[in-house]
Amino acid sequence: MARTTTAPTLQLNNGVTMPALGLGVFQSPPEETTAAVEAALRAGYRHIDTAAAYFNEREVGDAVRASGLDRSEVFLETKIWISDYGYDETLHGFEKSAGKLGVEQIDLLILHQALPSDFDRTLDAYRALETLLADGRVRAIGVSNFMVDHLTRLLDHASVVPAVNQIEQHPYFQQAEVQAFGERHGILAQAWSPIGGITFYRDSGHANALEDPVITEIASAHGKSPAQVMLRWGLQHGRSVIPKSTNPARIAENLDVFDFELSAEQLSALDGLETGKRGGPAPEDVTLETFGRDIPEA
Ligand code: A2P
């Protein structure tokens, strides 16, 4: 029988524990998501990261129920989309997500983006997260794609320090400054596109980190794959990582990263791959006009 791995946990700033590695379902088509999450739970994943704007929360919930695992064994993270920002709107956004997931309580609820052009609305949305936390509807709250100035403005107003900031982080785009700012304030960095942002890079003519000679050489030295090396690098930098895959073999491969360790030299060789080029959208460009989309009712 195949060996089942489970990820070690990280402690969030409010004491809640979260598996360090989870399955990301960004760009998992709804019709493939249930099978992918089921495969992940079978392989030993206990943390799934989705979002209202991925339009696959219902399928994530179906897979958790089909797994037979107790609800308390699976850490569910989802995100409120910018179109649902504002205090009342975000409270309702929670109801939509919880309804689709089919759960009473969400483990980690985060704001998907800052709205730099309407930051007051972002602050109102965050205030709603604080209410949901106080009411026990969510176990932890956080943000995503917040840069240092967004975090600074948020901390000026918030009564609860976000537990997590989920940002694009891989060897080609590391956001060390955002992570360091978070570390100083107790905000855990969580890496999306942790294996090279190739979801975006594929079509944009960027290099593919999976083929990078520095990464492939380190991978060979450990008898591991390039994806596993990048995940291990992120974990050894103290991040949570949420690789996306809908392929059962790659889902299992991505969890199998807890039996080797990168040396200090290997970590710094990977650190040296920074390009300064992000793969995803620039957080400053996110506006309701360009990125607004209706999030359906549960
Ligand atoms: P697939 O779903 O077919 O496995 P990221 O999370 O960094 O954005 O990467 C996601 C992309 O990388 C998806 O296109 C996914 O495709 C692919 N992928 C996921 N795991 C691996 C792996 N271990 N090796 C190669 N490609 C992978």
Side-chain angles (χ1 to χ4, degrees), residues 192-199 202 210 225 227 242-247 250 253-254:
W192 62 258
S193 271
I195 65 170
I198 60 175
T199 308
R202 230 176 236 153
L210 291 165
S225 71
I242 44 158
K244 176 266 174 184
S245 181
T246 46
N247 174 292
R250 289 193 284 277
E253 173 187 326
N254 293 344

Side-chain angles (χ1 to χ4, degrees), residues 51-241:
Y54 299 169
F55 303 106
N56 56 18
E57 289 171 307
R58 201 177 302 282
E59 290 73 16
V60 169
D62 288 346
V64 173
R65 275 184 299 283
S67 72
L69 290 165
D70 191 77
R71 168 71 191 92
S72 64
E73 292 181 73
V74 184
F75 190 97
L76 286 179
E77 173 175 359
T78 192
K79 314 182 189 77
I80 300 284
W81 187 238
I82 53 173
S83 308
D84 284 339
Y85 283 9
Y87 185 76
D88 290 335
E89 294 87 340
T90 297
L91 290 180
H92 185 59
F94 163 82
E95 297 297 344
K96 291 196 264 186
S97 286
K100 288 174 198 157
L101 287 163
V103 299
E104 289 294 312
Q105 189 187 48
I106 289 171
D107 296 289
L108 175 59
L109 184 63
I110 65 182
L111 299 185
H112 206 140
Q113 301 275 351
L115 260 186
S117 58
D118 196 351
F119 205 74
D120 284 347
R121 211 169 159 120
T122 311
L123 293 174
D124 287 342
Y126 192 79
R127 220 160 30 83
L129 298 193
E130 291 176 332
T131 298
L132 292 163
L133 182 68
D135 291 349
R137 306 302 308 277
V138 302
R139 296 173 65 225
I141 60 175
V143 294
S144 178
N145 300 306
F146 271 46
M147 301 295 98
V148 168
D149 61 319
H150 307 138
L151 290 171
T152 305
R153 287 163 80 184
L154 179 69
L155 291 176
D156 278 349
H157 292 87
S159 33
V160 176
V161 175
V164 162
N165 185 21
Q166 185 183 121
I167 52 178
E168 178 182 350
Q169 282 189 306
H170 45 77
Y172 287 169
F173 191 65
Q174 303 176 23
Q175 309 217 63
E177 187 205 352
V178 185
Q179 180 166 343
F181 181 92
E183 278 165 10
R184 285 199 296 283
H185 291 89
I187 306 167
L188 179 73
Q190 184 174 55
W192 62 258
S193 271
I195 65 170
I198 60 175
T199 308
F200 292 97
Y201 282 4
R202 230 176 236 153
D203 301 325
S204 64
H206 283 68
N208 180 349
L210 291 165
E211 293 165 4
D212 187 288
V214 170
I215 298 175
T216 52
E217 198 182 312
I218 295 173
S220 311
H222 285 282
K224 288 286 181 180
S225 71
Q228 289 171 322
V229 164
M230 286 188 264
L231 293 170
R232 186 72 214 177
W233 169 80
L235 291 163
Q236 285 187 225
H237 273 304
R239 293 168 205 147
S240 164
V241 293

